[in-house]
Amino acid sequence: MTNNMREIDPEEITDNPFRLIGRDWMLIAAGTRESFNMMTASWGWLGILWDKKIAGCVVRPTRHTYRFMEESPSFSLSFLDQEYRDALTYCGTHSGRDVNKAAEAGLTPIFDERGVWFAEARLVLFCTKIYYDDIEPRNFLFPEIDDCYPQKDYHRIYLGEIVKCLTR
């Protein structure tokens, strides 16, 4: 599957980011060949910050992927076609602490100098971490935002410079 991928400049991405992330979902992945994890996410963003092309994602400290995001200097965002919706659902509802999510979801991890990504992806963003911060509930300007956190497990925000972009 990987031989169909070609490198593009992130500015060539034609997907609507609201659909790409919010409706179609993505896999956030970090780690090494020896130990990695991924999780499905529907919160994130793409843009420009500090004169860099940036991808942002959020991970709760309670998620198994959090440890890999903390330990890795980079992460990837893999976007898959709708035919892989069941795989994305599986990766969002099962923990890598308990199962080999890639195997159970039928996904093929690929490892290279930038980290881990998935052969089934139609778009992959490779990101070098350049910033992180924790969401602080005291900064919510609308109190109802806190309703997204019934367990008070506030996300950590990760910003990564997009250093490589592959597409089909």
CSV table of all heavy atoms in Angstrom, one decimal, residues 44-98:
chain,number,residue,atom,x,y,z
A,44,GLY,N,-8.7,18.5,16.9
A,44,GLY,CA,-7.4,18.9,16.4
A,44,GLY,C,-7.5,20.0,15.5
A,44,GLY,O,-8.6,20.5,15.2
A,45,TRP,N,-6.4,20.4,14.9
A,45,TRP,CA,-6.4,21.5,14.0
A,45,TRP,C,-5.1,21.5,13.1
A,45,TRP,O,-4.2,20.9,13.4
A,45,TRP,CB,-6.5,22.9,14.7
A,45,TRP,CG,-5.5,23.0,15.8
A,45,TRP,CD1,-4.3,23.7,15.7
A,45,TRP,CD2,-5.6,22.5,17.2
A,45,TRP,NE1,-3.7,23.6,16.9
A,45,TRP,CE2,-4.4,22.9,17.8
A,45,TRP,CE3,-6.5,21.8,17.9
A,45,TRP,CZ2,-4.1,22.6,19.1
A,45,TRP,CZ3,-6.2,21.5,19.2
A,45,TRP,CH2,-5.0,21.9,19.8
A,46,LEU,N,-5.2,22.3,12.1
A,46,LEU,CA,-4.1,22.6,11.2
A,46,LEU,C,-4.0,24.1,11.0
A,46,LEU,O,-5.1,24.7,10.9
A,46,LEU,CB,-4.4,21.9,9.8
A,46,LEU,CG,-4.6,20.4,9.8
A,46,LEU,CD1,-5.0,20.0,8.4
A,46,LEU,CD2,-3.4,19.7,10.3
A,47,GLY,N,-2.8,24.6,10.8
A,47,GLY,CA,-2.7,26.0,10.6
A,47,GLY,C,-1.3,26.5,10.6
A,47,GLY,O,-0.3,25.7,10.5
A,48,ILE,N,-1.1,27.8,10.8
A,48,ILE,CA,0.2,28.4,10.9
A,48,ILE,C,0.4,29.0,12.2
A,48,ILE,O,-0.5,29.7,12.8
A,48,ILE,CB,0.3,29.5,9.8
A,48,ILE,CG1,0.0,29.0,8.4
A,48,ILE,CG2,1.7,30.2,9.8
A,48,ILE,CD1,1.0,27.9,7.9
A,49,LEU,N,1.6,28.8,12.8
A,49,LEU,CA,1.9,29.4,14.1
A,49,LEU,C,3.4,29.5,14.1
A,49,LEU,O,4.1,28.5,13.7
A,49,LEU,CB,1.4,28.5,15.2
A,49,LEU,CG,1.7,29.0,16.7
A,49,LEU,CD1,0.9,30.3,16.9
A,49,LEU,CD2,1.2,28.0,17.7
A,50,TRP,N,3.9,30.6,14.5
A,50,TRP,CA,5.4,30.8,14.6
A,50,TRP,C,6.0,30.6,13.3
A,50,TRP,O,7.2,30.1,13.2
A,50,TRP,CB,6.0,30.0,15.7
A,50,TRP,CG,5.4,30.1,17.1
A,50,TRP,CD1,5.2,31.3,17.7
A,50,TRP,CD2,5.0,29.1,17.9
A,50,TRP,NE1,4.6,31.1,18.9
A,50,TRP,CE2,4.5,29.7,19.1
A,50,TRP,CE3,4.9,27.7,17.9
A,50,TRP,CZ2,3.9,29.0,20.2
A,50,TRP,CZ3,4.4,27.0,18.9
A,50,TRP,CH2,3.9,27.6,20.1
A,51,ASP,N,5.3,31.0,12.2
A,51,ASP,CA,5.8,30.9,10.8
A,51,ASP,C,6.1,29.4,10.4
A,51,ASP,O,6.9,29.1,9.6
A,51,ASP,CB,7.1,31.7,10.6
A,51,ASP,CG,6.9,33.2,10.7
A,51,ASP,OD1,5.8,33.6,10.3
A,51,ASP,OD2,7.7,33.9,11.2
A,52,LYS,N,5.4,28.5,11.1
A,52,LYS,CA,5.5,27.1,10.8
A,52,LYS,C,4.1,26.5,10.4
A,52,LYS,O,3.1,27.0,10.9
A,52,LYS,CB,6.1,26.3,12.0
A,52,LYS,CG,7.5,26.8,12.4
A,52,LYS,CD,8.0,26.0,13.6
A,52,LYS,CE,9.3,26.5,14.1
A,52,LYS,NZ,10.4,26.5,13.1
A,53,LYS,N,4.1,25.5,9.6
A,53,LYS,CA,2.9,24.7,9.3
A,53,LYS,C,2.7,23.8,10.5
A,53,LYS,O,3.6,22.9,10.8
A,53,LYS,CB,3.1,24.0,8.0
A,53,LYS,CG,3.2,24.9,6.8
A,53,LYS,CD,3.6,24.2,5.6
A,53,LYS,CE,3.8,25.3,4.5
A,53,LYS,NZ,4.9,25.0,3.6
A,54,ILE,N,1.6,23.9,11.1
A,54,ILE,CA,1.4,23.2,12.4
A,54,ILE,C,0.2,22.3,12.3
A,54,ILE,O,-0.8,22.6,11.7
A,54,ILE,CB,1.1,24.3,13.5
A,54,ILE,CG1,2.3,25.2,13.7
A,54,ILE,CG2,0.7,23.6,14.8
A,54,ILE,CD1,3.5,24.6,14.3
A,55,ALA,N,0.3,21.1,13.0
A,55,ALA,CA,-0.8,20.3,13.3
A,55,ALA,C,-0.9,20.2,14.9
A,55,ALA,O,0.1,20.1,15.5
A,55,ALA,CB,-0.7,18.9,12.7
A,56,GLY,N,-2.2,20.3,15.3
A,56,GLY,CA,-2.4,20.2,16.8
A,56,GLY,C,-3.3,19.1,17.1
A,56,GLY,O,-4.2,18.8,16.3
A,57,CYS,N,-3.1,18.4,18.2
A,57,CYS,CA,-3.9,17.4,18.7
A,57,CYS,C,-4.0,17.4,20.2
A,57,CYS,O,-3.1,18.1,20.8
A,57,CYS,CB,-3.5,16.0,18.2
A,57,CYS,SG,-1.9,15.5,18.7
A,58,VAL,N,-4.9,16.7,20.8
A,58,VAL,CA,-5.0,16.7,22.2
A,58,VAL,C,-5.2,15.2,22.7
A,58,VAL,O,-5.8,14.4,22.0
A,58,VAL,CB,-6.2,17.5,22.7
A,58,VAL,CG1,-6.0,19.0,22.5
A,58,VAL,CG2,-7.5,17.1,22.1
A,59,VAL,N,-4.5,15.0,23.8
A,59,VAL,CA,-4.6,13.6,24.4
A,59,VAL,C,-4.8,13.7,25.9
A,59,VAL,O,-4.1,14.5,26.6
A,59,VAL,CB,-3.3,12.8,24.1
A,59,VAL,CG1,-3.3,11.4,24.7
A,59,VAL,CG2,-3.0,12.8,22.6
A,60,ARG,N,-5.7,13.0,26.4
A,60,ARG,CA,-5.9,13.0,27.9
A,60,ARG,C,-4.8,12.1,28.5
A,60,ARG,O,-4.4,11.1,28.0
A,60,ARG,CB,-7.3,12.3,28.2
A,60,ARG,CG,-8.5,13.1,27.7
A,60,ARG,CD,-9.8,12.4,28.0
A,60,ARG,NE,-10.9,12.8,27.3
A,60,ARG,CZ,-11.8,13.7,27.8
A,60,ARG,NH1,-11.7,14.1,29.0
A,60,ARG,NH2,-12.8,14.1,27.0
A,61,PRO,N,-4.4,12.6,29.7
A,61,PRO,CA,-3.4,11.8,30.4
A,61,PRO,C,-3.8,10.4,30.8
A,61,PRO,O,-2.9,9.5,31.0
A,61,PRO,CB,-3.1,12.6,31.7
A,61,PRO,CG,-3.6,14.0,31.4
A,61,PRO,CD,-4.7,13.8,30.4
A,62,THR,N,-5.0,10.1,30.8
A,62,THR,CA,-5.5,8.8,31.1
A,62,THR,C,-5.4,7.8,29.9
A,62,THR,O,-5.5,6.6,30.1
A,62,THR,CB,-7.0,8.8,31.6
A,62,THR,OG1,-7.8,9.5,30.6
A,62,THR,CG2,-7.1,9.5,32.9
A,63,ARG,N,-5.1,8.3,28.8
A,63,ARG,CA,-5.0,7.5,27.6
A,63,ARG,C,-3.6,6.8,27.5
A,63,ARG,O,-2.6,7.4,27.8
A,63,ARG,CB,-5.3,8.3,26.3
A,63,ARG,CG,-6.7,8.9,26.2
A,63,ARG,CD,-7.8,7.8,26.1
A,63,ARG,NE,-7.7,7.0,24.9
A,63,ARG,CZ,-8.4,7.2,23.8
A,63,ARG,NH1,-9.3,8.1,23.7
A,63,ARG,NH2,-8.2,6.3,22.8
A,64,HIS,N,-3.6,5.6,27.0
A,64,HIS,CA,-2.3,4.9,26.9
A,64,HIS,C,-1.4,5.6,25.9
A,64,HIS,O,-0.2,5.6,26.1
A,64,HIS,CB,-2.6,3.4,26.4
A,64,HIS,CG,-1.4,2.5,26.4
A,64,HIS,ND1,-0.6,2.3,27.5
A,64,HIS,CD2,-1.0,1.7,25.4
A,64,HIS,CE1,0.3,1.5,27.1
A,64,HIS,NE2,0.2,1.1,25.9
A,65,THR,N,-1.9,6.2,24.9
A,65,THR,CA,-1.1,7.0,23.9
A,65,THR,C,-0.4,8.1,24.5
A,65,THR,O,0.7,8.5,24.0
A,65,THR,CB,-2.1,7.4,22.8
A,65,THR,OG1,-2.7,6.3,22.2
A,65,THR,CG2,-1.3,8.2,21.7
A,66,TYR,N,-0.9,8.6,25.6
A,66,TYR,CA,-0.3,9.8,26.3
A,66,TYR,C,1.2,9.5,26.6
A,66,TYR,O,2.1,10.4,26.3
A,66,TYR,CB,-1.0,10.1,27.6
A,66,TYR,CG,-0.5,11.3,28.4
A,66,TYR,CD1,-0.9,12.6,28.1
A,66,TYR,CD2,0.4,11.1,29.5
A,66,TYR,CE1,-0.4,13.7,28.8
A,66,TYR,CE2,0.9,12.1,30.2
A,66,TYR,CZ,0.5,13.4,29.9
A,66,TYR,OH,1.0,14.5,30.6
A,67,ARG,N,1.5,8.4,27.2
A,67,ARG,CA,2.9,8.0,27.5
A,67,ARG,C,3.8,8.1,26.3
A,67,ARG,O,4.9,8.6,26.3
A,67,ARG,CB,3.0,6.6,28.1
A,67,ARG,CG,4.4,6.2,28.4
A,67,ARG,CD,4.4,4.8,29.1
A,67,ARG,NE,4.0,3.7,28.3
A,67,ARG,CZ,4.8,3.0,27.6
A,67,ARG,NH1,6.1,3.2,27.5
A,67,ARG,NH2,4.3,1.9,26.9
A,68,PHE,N,3.3,7.6,25.1
A,68,PHE,CA,4.1,7.6,23.9
A,68,PHE,C,4.3,9.0,23.4
A,68,PHE,O,5.3,9.3,22.9
A,68,PHE,CB,3.4,6.7,22.9
A,68,PHE,CG,3.4,5.2,23.3
A,68,PHE,CD1,2.3,4.7,24.0
A,68,PHE,CD2,4.5,4.4,23.0
A,68,PHE,CE1,2.3,3.4,24.4
A,68,PHE,CE2,4.5,3.1,23.5
A,68,PHE,CZ,3.4,2.6,24.2
A,69,MET,N,3.2,9.8,23.5
A,69,MET,CA,3.4,11.2,23.1
A,69,MET,C,4.4,11.9,23.9
A,69,MET,O,5.2,12.7,23.4
A,69,MET,CB,2.0,11.9,23.2
A,69,MET,CG,1.0,11.4,22.1
A,69,MET,SD,1.5,11.9,20.4
A,69,MET,CE,1.1,13.6,20.4
A,70,GLU,N,4.4,11.6,25.2
A,70,GLU,CA,5.4,12.3,26.1
A,70,GLU,C,6.8,11.8,25.8
A,70,GLU,O,7.7,12.6,25.9
A,70,GLU,CB,5.0,11.9,27.6
A,70,GLU,CG,3.8,12.6,28.1
A,70,GLU,CD,4.0,14.1,28.2
A,70,GLU,OE1,4.8,14.6,29.0
A,70,GLU,OE2,3.4,14.9,27.4
A,71,GLU,N,7.0,10.6,25.5
A,71,GLU,CA,8.3,10.0,25.3
A,71,GLU,C,8.9,10.2,23.9
A,71,GLU,O,10.1,10.1,23.7
A,71,GLU,CB,8.3,8.5,25.6
A,71,GLU,CG,8.0,8.3,27.1
A,71,GLU,CD,7.9,6.8,27.4
A,71,GLU,OE1,7.9,5.9,26.5
A,71,GLU,OE2,7.7,6.4,28.6
A,72,SER,N,8.0,10.5,23.0
A,72,SER,CA,8.5,10.6,21.6
A,72,SER,C,8.7,12.1,21.2
A,72,SER,O,8.0,13.0,21.5
A,72,SER,CB,7.4,10.0,20.6
A,72,SER,OG,7.2,8.7,20.9
A,73,PRO,N,9.8,12.3,20.4
A,73,PRO,CA,10.0,13.7,19.9
A,73,PRO,C,9.1,14.0,18.7
A,73,PRO,O,9.0,15.2,18.3
A,73,PRO,CB,11.4,13.7,19.4
A,73,PRO,CG,11.7,12.2,19.0
A,73,PRO,CD,10.8,11.4,20.0
A,74,SER,N,8.3,13.0,18.2
A,74,SER,CA,7.5,13.3,17.0
A,74,SER,C,6.2,12.4,17.2
A,74,SER,O,6.1,11.5,18.0
A,74,SER,CB,8.2,12.9,15.8
A,74,SER,OG,8.6,11.6,15.8
A,75,PHE,N,5.3,12.7,16.3
A,75,PHE,CA,4.0,12.0,16.2
A,75,PHE,C,3.5,12.0,14.8
A,75,PHE,O,4.0,12.9,14.0
A,75,PHE,CB,3.0,12.4,17.2
A,75,PHE,CG,2.5,13.9,17.0
A,75,PHE,CD1,1.4,14.2,16.2
A,75,PHE,CD2,3.2,14.9,17.6
A,75,PHE,CE1,1.0,15.5,16.1
A,75,PHE,CE2,2.7,16.2,17.5
A,75,PHE,CZ,1.6,16.5,16.7
A,76,SER,N,2.6,11.1,14.4
A,76,SER,CA,2.0,11.2,13.1
A,76,SER,C,0.5,11.3,13.3
A,76,SER,O,-0.1,10.8,14.3
A,76,SER,CB,2.4,9.9,12.3
A,76,SER,OG,1.7,8.8,12.8
A,77,LEU,N,-0.1,11.8,12.3
A,77,LEU,CA,-1.6,11.9,12.1
A,77,LEU,C,-1.9,11.2,10.8
A,77,LEU,O,-1.5,11.6,9.8
A,77,LEU,CB,-2.1,13.3,12.1
A,77,LEU,CG,-1.7,14.2,13.3
A,77,LEU,CD1,-2.3,15.6,13.1
A,77,LEU,CD2,-2.2,13.6,14.6
A,78,SER,N,-2.6,10.0,10.9
A,78,SER,CA,-3.0,9.2,9.8
A,78,SER,C,-4.5,9.4,9.5
A,78,SER,O,-5.3,9.2,10.5
A,78,SER,CB,-2.7,7.8,10.0
A,78,SER,OG,-1.3,7.6,10.0
A,79,PHE,N,-4.9,9.7,8.3
A,79,PHE,CA,-6.3,9.8,7.9
A,79,PHE,C,-6.6,8.7,6.9
A,79,PHE,O,-5.9,8.5,6.0
A,79,PHE,CB,-6.5,11.2,7.3
A,79,PHE,CG,-6.1,12.3,8.2
A,79,PHE,CD1,-4.9,12.8,8.2
A,79,PHE,CD2,-7.1,12.9,9.0
A,79,PHE,CE1,-4.5,13.9,9.1
A,79,PHE,CE2,-6.8,13.9,9.9
A,79,PHE,CZ,-5.5,14.4,9.9
A,80,LEU,N,-7.7,8.0,7.2
A,80,LEU,CA,-8.1,6.8,6.4
A,80,LEU,C,-9.4,7.1,5.8
A,80,LEU,O,-10.2,7.9,6.2
A,80,LEU,CB,-8.2,5.6,7.4
A,80,LEU,CG,-6.9,5.0,7.9
A,80,LEU,CD1,-6.2,5.9,8.9
A,80,LEU,CD2,-7.1,3.6,8.5
A,81,ASP,N,-9.7,6.3,4.7
A,81,ASP,CA,-11.0,6.4,4.0
A,81,ASP,C,-12.1,5.8,4.9
A,81,ASP,O,-11.8,5.1,5.8
A,81,ASP,CB,-10.9,5.7,2.7
A,81,ASP,CG,-10.1,6.5,1.6
A,81,ASP,OD1,-10.2,7.7,1.6
A,81,ASP,OD2,-9.5,5.8,0.8
A,82,GLN,N,-13.3,6.1,4.5
A,82,GLN,CA,-14.5,5.6,5.3
A,82,GLN,C,-14.5,4.1,5.4
A,82,GLN,O,-15.1,3.5,6.3
A,82,GLN,CB,-15.8,6.2,4.7
A,82,GLN,CG,-16.0,7.6,5.0
A,82,GLN,CD,-16.0,7.9,6.5
A,82,GLN,OE1,-16.8,7.4,7.2
A,82,GLN,NE2,-15.1,8.8,6.9
A,83,GLU,N,-13.9,3.4,4.4
A,83,GLU,CA,-13.9,1.9,4.5
A,83,GLU,C,-13.2,1.4,5.8
A,83,GLU,O,-13.4,0.2,6.2
A,83,GLU,CB,-13.3,1.3,3.3
A,83,GLU,CG,-11.8,1.5,3.1
A,83,GLU,CD,-11.3,1.0,1.8
A,83,GLU,OE1,-10.9,-0.2,1.8
A,83,GLU,OE2,-11.2,1.8,0.9
A,84,TYR,N,-12.5,2.2,6.4
A,84,TYR,CA,-11.8,1.9,7.7
A,84,TYR,C,-12.4,2.4,8.9
A,84,TYR,O,-11.8,2.5,10.0
A,84,TYR,CB,-10.3,2.3,7.6
A,84,TYR,CG,-9.5,1.6,6.5
A,84,TYR,CD1,-9.3,2.3,5.3
A,84,TYR,CD2,-9.1,0.3,6.6
A,84,TYR,CE1,-8.6,1.6,4.3
A,84,TYR,CE2,-8.5,-0.3,5.6
A,84,TYR,CZ,-8.2,0.3,4.4
A,84,TYR,OH,-7.6,-0.3,3.4
A,85,ARG,N,-13.7,2.8,8.8
A,85,ARG,CA,-14.4,3.4,9.9
A,85,ARG,C,-14.4,2.5,11.1
A,85,ARG,O,-14.3,2.9,12.3
A,85,ARG,CB,-15.8,3.9,9.5
A,85,ARG,CG,-16.5,4.7,10.5
A,85,ARG,CD,-15.8,6.0,10.7
A,85,ARG,NE,-16.6,6.9,11.5
A,85,ARG,CZ,-16.4,8.2,11.4
A,85,ARG,NH1,-15.5,8.8,10.7
A,85,ARG,NH2,-17.2,9.0,12.1
A,86,ASP,N,-14.7,1.2,10.9
A,86,ASP,CA,-14.7,0.2,12.0
A,86,ASP,C,-13.3,0.1,12.7
A,86,ASP,O,-13.3,0.0,13.9
A,86,ASP,CB,-15.1,-1.2,11.4
A,86,ASP,CG,-16.6,-1.3,11.1
A,86,ASP,OD1,-17.4,-0.3,11.4
A,86,ASP,OD2,-17.0,-2.2,10.4
A,87,ALA,N,-12.3,0.2,11.9
A,87,ALA,CA,-10.9,0.2,12.5
A,87,ALA,C,-10.7,1.4,13.4
A,87,ALA,O,-10.2,1.3,14.5
A,87,ALA,CB,-9.9,0.1,11.4
A,88,LEU,N,-11.1,2.6,12.9
A,88,LEU,CA,-11.0,3.8,13.7
A,88,LEU,C,-11.8,3.7,14.9
A,88,LEU,O,-11.4,4.1,16.0
A,88,LEU,CB,-11.4,5.0,12.8
A,88,LEU,CG,-10.5,5.4,11.7
A,88,LEU,CD1,-11.1,6.4,10.8
A,88,LEU,CD2,-9.2,6.0,12.3
A,89,THR,N,-13.1,3.2,14.8
A,89,THR,CA,-13.9,3.0,16.0
A,89,THR,C,-13.2,2.1,17.0
A,89,THR,O,-13.2,2.4,18.2
A,89,THR,CB,-15.3,2.5,15.6
A,89,THR,OG1,-15.9,3.4,14.7
A,89,THR,CG2,-16.2,2.3,16.8
A,90,TYR,N,-12.7,1.0,16.5
A,90,TYR,CA,-12.0,0.0,17.4
A,90,TYR,C,-10.9,0.7,18.1
A,90,TYR,O,-10.7,0.6,19.3
A,90,TYR,CB,-11.5,-1.2,16.6
A,90,TYR,CG,-10.9,-2.2,17.5
A,90,TYR,CD1,-11.7,-3.2,18.0
A,90,TYR,CD2,-9.6,-2.2,17.9
A,90,TYR,CE1,-11.2,-4.2,18.9
A,90,TYR,CE2,-9.0,-3.2,18.7
A,90,TYR,CZ,-9.9,-4.2,19.2
A,90,TYR,OH,-9.3,-5.1,20.1
A,91,CYS,N,-10.1,1.5,17.4
A,91,CYS,CA,-8.9,2.1,18.0
A,91,CYS,C,-9.3,3.2,19.0
A,91,CYS,O,-8.5,3.6,19.8
A,91,CYS,CB,-8.0,2.7,16.9
A,91,CYS,SG,-7.2,1.4,15.9
A,92,GLY,N,-10.5,3.7,18.9
A,92,GLY,CA,-11.0,4.7,19.8
A,92,GLY,C,-11.7,4.2,21.0
A,92,GLY,O,-12.0,4.9,21.9
A,93,THR,N,-12.0,2.9,21.0
A,93,THR,CA,-12.8,2.3,22.1
A,93,THR,C,-12.0,1.1,22.8
A,93,THR,O,-12.6,0.5,23.7
A,93,THR,CB,-14.1,1.7,21.5
A,93,THR,OG1,-13.9,0.8,20.5
A,93,THR,CG2,-15.0,2.8,21.0
A,94,HIS,N,-10.8,0.9,22.4
A,94,HIS,CA,-10.0,-0.2,23.1
A,94,HIS,C,-8.6,0.4,23.4
A,94,HIS,O,-8.1,1.3,22.7
A,94,HIS,CB,-9.8,-1.4,22.1
A,94,HIS,CG,-11.1,-2.1,21.9
A,94,HIS,ND1,-12.0,-1.7,21.0
A,94,HIS,CD2,-11.5,-3.3,22.5
A,94,HIS,CE1,-13.0,-2.6,21.0
A,94,HIS,NE2,-12.8,-3.5,21.9
A,95,SER,N,-8.1,-0.1,24.5
A,95,SER,CA,-6.8,0.4,25.0
A,95,SER,C,-5.7,-0.5,24.5
A,95,SER,O,-5.7,-1.7,24.6
A,95,SER,CB,-6.8,0.5,26.5
A,95,SER,OG,-5.5,0.9,26.9
A,96,GLY,N,-4.6,0.2,24.1
A,96,GLY,CA,-3.4,-0.5,23.8
A,96,GLY,C,-2.7,-1.2,25.0
A,96,GLY,O,-1.8,-2.0,24.8
A,97,ARG,N,-3.2,-0.9,26.2
A,97,ARG,CA,-2.7,-1.5,27.4
A,97,ARG,C,-3.2,-3.0,27.4
A,97,ARG,O,-2.6,-3.9,28.0
A,97,ARG,CB,-3.2,-0.9,28.6
A,97,ARG,CG,-2.7,0.5,29.0
A,97,ARG,CD,-3.3,1.0,30.3
A,97,ARG,NE,-2.9,2.4,30.5
A,97,ARG,CZ,-3.6,3.4,30.2
A,97,ARG,NH1,-4.8,3.3,29.7
A,97,ARG,NH2,-3.2,4.6,30.5
A,98,ASP,N,-4.4,-3.2,26.7
A,98,ASP,CA,-5.0,-4.5,26.8
A,98,ASP,C,-4.9,-5.4,25.6
A,98,ASP,O,-5.0,-6.6,25.7
A,98,ASP,CB,-6.5,-4.3,27.1
A,98,ASP,CG,-6.8,-3.4,28.4
A,98,ASP,OD1,-6.0,-3.6,29.4
A,98,ASP,OD2,-7.7,-2.6,28.4
